[in-house]
Amino acid sequence: MTQATSTNKIVVIEDASITLPEGYKAGGMHCGIKKKRLDLGYIVSDVPAAVAGVYTTNVFQAAPLILTQESIAKENKIQAILVNSGNANACTGEQGLLDAAEMQKRFADELGIQPHLVAVTSTGVIGELLPMECINAGIEQILQSEFEQEENFKHSILTTDTCIKQIGVQIKIDEHTISIGGAAKGSGMIHPNMATMLGFVTTDANIAQEDLLAALKDVTNQTFNMITVDGDTSTNDMVLVMANGLAGNEQLTKEHPDWGSFVTALGIVCKELAKKIARDGEGATKLVEVQVSGAFSTNDAKAVGKSIISSNLVKTAIYGTDPNWGRIVTAAGYSGVPIEPQLLEVSIGQYKVFEKGLPCPFVEEEVKSYLEQENVVIYVDLNQGENSATAWGCDLTYDYVKINASYRT
């Protein structure tokens, strides 16, 4: 059943996703890249849509990312996204680029649109050529009605994920209902250095492309760039936002009186997807949130939060329900931010464990009991300013090693 909550003018719909906005369809199928699971998916808009993207900072960008960025640069619009899982098409040289272009053209031909209006992306094992015979056969069938189910798309993009990740919101702008839907995949190779996963966001808002890109970059810095699982930044990952304008609102720009509401709504979608990715970290049992306050600047707060959430010692302590505040303090100390030790305060949940450069008395068993919960929050107050930031991650478990020791087998 749909769960909806309202925040001012924004309605959050927990089980809605990319087809919530007007004019989108999605689907997926098994074409043979994986042994059994769905591995080829698509999103299609009824009309060309303004598009904004953010991409991995890894210098080894996969062929589909290179092609997609080149295609978007031609018109700043796309009408479809084709994604395969199980094979990253990364570090595959000229043949990888040719294969990505073949996927793009074949799907464009099926849709009757220009190839540059199709974004292509891949995720999976690095260094292997795509099984193009399987993919091409899949593309010929993928638009058949039996595959036109949004649920299929959400499953077709997964690799080591244990669950689908989706969210939707609706807001009123110019008396029109604007919808934003999101779906993502991500479980391993996750680190706060955009991009760290695959994220797909759709909206029926009418919005200027340059402003859509500015909004996405701003929101990304507060959401997808504030999560980590294992400190690895992948070769393939990106976030794409499509805006097809079918809601009929007056064009949104930064000067529009409801611009702030739209950015807030986009931020909610991206934040919830980011948290779902962090919680689904490979082998993870807990979502860990680090709230940093009292910083000189927002960047300082982000740096401290990222440092703590990225610490393997912090992550393993949380897995072991060990209230080892020393690991938290140490991670804050090497963040590169000039921290005054005598001002720092640290709490694990409601339990203050460090203050004024010294440990605070606390009941060990109470804090251990708190750390057994699925959601753990660490509060860090630098007491040096008025800026804050939040980072998300997960615990580090034995299962993470097991999963990644046998990833290709």
Side-chain angles (χ1 to χ4, degrees):
M1 180 179 294
T2 296
Q3 297 179 346
T5 57
S6 180
T7 305
N8 295 326
K9 296 193 299 182
I10 300 172
V11 176
V12 179
I13 308 171
E14 293 291 343
D15 61 357
S17 192
I18 50 175
T19 56
L20 175 66
E22 291 290 331
Y24 292 96
K25 62 182 179 181
M29 65 179 300
H30 173 251
C31 74
I33 304 172
K34 298 176 183 175
K35 291 181 180 179
K36 295 181 179 180
R37 293 185 298 154
L38 304 186
D39 50 21
L40 188 65
Y42 70 90
I43 304 170
V44 176
S45 170
D46 290 348
V47 297
V51 63
V54 286
Y55 309 92
T56 184
T57 56
N58 194 309
V59 296
F60 289 98
Q61 285 200 354
L65 266 71
I66 296 170
L67 177 65
T68 292
Q69 291 174 80
E70 291 175 350
S71 298
I72 288 175
K74 292 182 179 180
E75 199 176 346
N76 288 323
K77 289 184 178 182
I78 61 172
Q79 193 168 347
I81 298 171
L82 181 67
V83 54
N84 75 269
S85 60
N87 185 312
N89 192 11
C91 300
T92 47
E94 184 64 27
Q95 187 60 50
L97 289 169
L98 292 172
D99 290 343
E102 183 176 352
M103 287 176 63
Q104 181 187 56
K105 185 178 187 308
R106 283 179 177 266
F107 194 48
D109 288 345
E110 291 292 324
L111 294 169
I113 62 177
Q114 293 296 310
H116 73 271
L117 293 176
V118 175
V120 178
T121 185
S122 304
T123 182
V125 177
I126 294 171
E128 296 181 1
L129 293 176
L130 289 170
M132 291 305 297
E133 184 175 339
C134 295
I135 291 174
N136 289 337
I139 291 173
E140 290 178 2
Q141 305 175 60
I142 197 169
L143 295 178
Q144 295 179 13
S145 58
E146 62 182 297
F147 303 125
E148 289 183 7
Q149 300 177 38
E150 183 216 18
E151 195 73 13
N152 285 356
F153 172 78
K154 290 178 292 191
H155 284 282
S156 70
I157 64 177
L158 305 181
T159 50
T160 57
D161 306 62
T162 65
C163 62
I164 61 174
K165 301 161 182 74
Q166 61 182 6
I167 193 72
V169 303
Q170 291 183 321
I171 55 175
K172 282 281 190 180
I173 294 178
D174 298 333
E175 301 304 317
H176 295 274
T177 297
I178 303 295
S179 299
I180 305 174
K185 65 82 54 183
S187 188
M189 293 191 82
I190 305 295
H191 191 59
N193 194 8
M194 176 39 59
T196 52
M197 22 59 70
L198 295 182
F200 306 99
V201 179
T202 57
T203 180
D204 46 20
N206 177 13
I207 183 169
Q209 189 276 336
E210 62 272 20
D211 291 326
L212 180 64
L213 179 57
L216 176 61
K217 286 183 176 179
D218 180 51
V219 164
T220 294
N221 284 333
Q222 301 174 55
T223 58
F224 295 122
N225 279 355
M226 294 301 293
I227 60 174
T228 188
V229 169
D230 50 18
D232 280 315
T233 301
S234 177
T235 56
N236 282 59
D237 304 323
M238 66 179 172
V239 176
L240 291 178
V241 181
M242 300 174 68
N244 65 15
L246 293 182
N249 62 288
E250 180 182 338
Q251 188 177 58
L252 277 167
T253 66
K254 292 179 181 177
E255 287 71 40
H256 193 286
D258 287 323
W259 173 253
S261 295
F262 176 81
V263 175
T264 298
L266 179 63
I268 289 172
V269 170
C270 293
K271 176 181 175 181
E272 290 306 309
L273 291 177
K275 289 171 66 176
K276 291 174 188 290
I277 290 169
R279 174 59 186 88
D280 194 33
E282 290 171 339
T285 65
K286 300 166 189 173
L287 173 67
V288 184
E289 182 174 301
V290 178
Q291 295 186 17
V292 181
S293 60
F296 278 128
S297 68
T298 301
N299 285 339
D300 281 355
K302 288 180 178 179
V304 172
K306 289 179 182 179
S307 185
I308 294 169
I309 210 71
S310 300
S311 167
N312 285 339
L313 291 179
V314 171
K315 291 154 70 72
T316 51
I318 291 172
Y319 171 65
T321 67
D322 178 10
N324 190 339
W325 56 265
R327 295 181 175 182
I328 300 170
V329 171
T330 299
Y334 63 63
S335 66
V337 174
I339 294 172
E340 290 290 339
Q342 301 303 317
L343 298 178
L344 184 68
E345 296 179 20
V346 176
S347 297
I348 300 174
Q350 70 268 39
Y351 304 99
K352 185 170 287 187
V353 294
F354 185 83
E355 184 178 28
K356 297 179 180 179
L358 295 169
C360 298
F362 60 87
V363 179
E364 182 103 0
E365 290 306 314
E366 291 182 354
V367 185
K368 284 181 67 69
S369 178
Y370 173 76
L371 289 172
E372 290 174 355
Q373 298 182 92
E374 186 175 339
N375 297 313
V376 172
V377 183
I378 297 171
Y379 301 94
V380 178
D381 192 343
L382 305 183
N383 285 304
Q384 293 178 312
E386 299 180 353
N387 295 285
S388 61
T390 302
W392 297 273
C394 59
D395 55 347
L396 184 59
T397 72
Y398 302 112
D399 284 341
Y400 176 84
V401 177
K402 293 178 182 177
I403 291 168
N404 283 284
S406 58
Y407 182 72
R408 294 199 306 152
T409 57

